[in-house]
Amino acid sequence: MQRLLSFVLVIFLACASHADMAYENVTLTVSDDQRLMLNGSMKITLSPAVIEALQNGVPITFEKHIQVREQGAWVWTKDIAEYRMRSVLRYRLLEKVYELKRLDSGSVTKRATLAAALTQLGEIQSMPLIEVAKLNKSEAYNVELDAKLDIEALPLPLRPKAYISSDWSLSAETVVQGFKP
């Protein structure tokens, strides 16, 4: 009986420490000025190890990768448009707030809770991807989105542990949204 309880406890702890990222509600629209716009959100769940590091002052870098490609394009075919959105999340102990800095724009926002900071980190609102006039109307296209926690941006002493531990393996499954202009 004790072995069974130990086994159940191990399974529960493994599930409880699972980190995850998943895109939700991804939509493409055309703006009034004829630009393809991306909207969506990402649900982010951090493992206890990542949360502990964050609360001990370690900045955590996330990267969203967005590509506009022709449907059926080969891997080596040049993207029509490509964006890498890098953001750094850190906990400011003296202020007791979570700070989110967008590295591409330099904008900084602060949130009182980790949940609020992760919600903001996962949002994509009215992001212009490309002018519709630049696309061939007879072709079909895909917008591909993925995201990950950037282990290479961690402090050097933490990287080996992050590479071998599943607690730090945090990435979103690629989402493909097709469209035709």
Side-chain angles (χ1 to χ4, degrees):
M1 181 67 171
Q2 188 174 10
R3 280 189 170 172
L4 177 63
L5 288 175
S6 297
F7 177 75
V8 170
L9 181 60
V10 167
I11 297 297
F12 175 76
L13 290 175
C15 292
S17 68
H18 180 69
D20 189 32
M21 297 173 80
Y23 280 104
E24 305 173 326
N25 308 318
V26 174
T27 59
L28 298 171
T29 58
V30 177
S31 66
D32 292 338
D33 61 350
Q34 295 300 298
R35 291 177 186 241
L36 184 65
M37 306 295 277
L38 174 65
N39 291 288
S41 61
M42 185 175 22
K43 183 176 171 139
I44 304 169
T45 306
L46 301 179
S47 68
V50 175
I51 293 171
E52 179 183 4
L54 182 63
Q55 291 177 339
N56 284 310
V58 176
I60 308 295
T61 303
F62 296 87
E63 180 177 274
K64 296 177 201 162
H65 185 208
I66 302 164
Q67 299 168 282
V68 179
R69 303 175 52 81
E70 287 183 13
Q71 282 185 0
W74 294 93
V75 173
W76 54 81
T77 304
K78 188 174 190 282
D79 295 332
I80 295 166
E82 180 179 28
Y83 304 92
R84 292 190 184 273
M85 300 167 51
R86 295 175 54 81
S87 300
V88 177
L89 178 63
R90 65 174 28 118
Y91 182 65
R92 297 291 186 188
L93 185 60
L94 294 177
E95 299 174 71
K96 295 193 184 319
V97 296
Y98 292 89
E99 178 185 273
L100 188 60
K101 181 176 184 179
R102 292 268 316 262
L103 297 180
D104 54 340
S105 67
S107 68
V108 176
T109 56
K110 296 180 181 181
R111 297 290 179 248
T113 65
L114 178 57
L118 292 175
T119 297
Q120 182 177 356
L121 175 64
E123 290 178 353
I124 301 174
Q125 294 180 352
S126 300
M127 179 181 174
L129 297 177
I130 192 166
E131 293 175 24
V132 176
K134 292 182 178 180
L135 301 172
N136 185 341
K137 301 237 187 270
S138 64
E139 293 287 330
Y141 298 90
N142 285 334
V143 173
E144 299 178 13
L145 299 94
D146 60 24
K148 67 177 183 169
L149 184 151
D150 186 2
I151 292 176
E152 285 296 314
L154 291 171
L156 192 56
L158 189 54
R159 287 184 206 166
K161 181 178 180 181
Y163 275 119
I164 61 173
S165 171
S166 63
D167 287 341
W168 290 87
S169 178
L170 184 59
S171 63
E173 188 173 317
T174 301
V175 171
V176 178
Q177 184 80 27
F179 73 96
K180 195 166 182 167

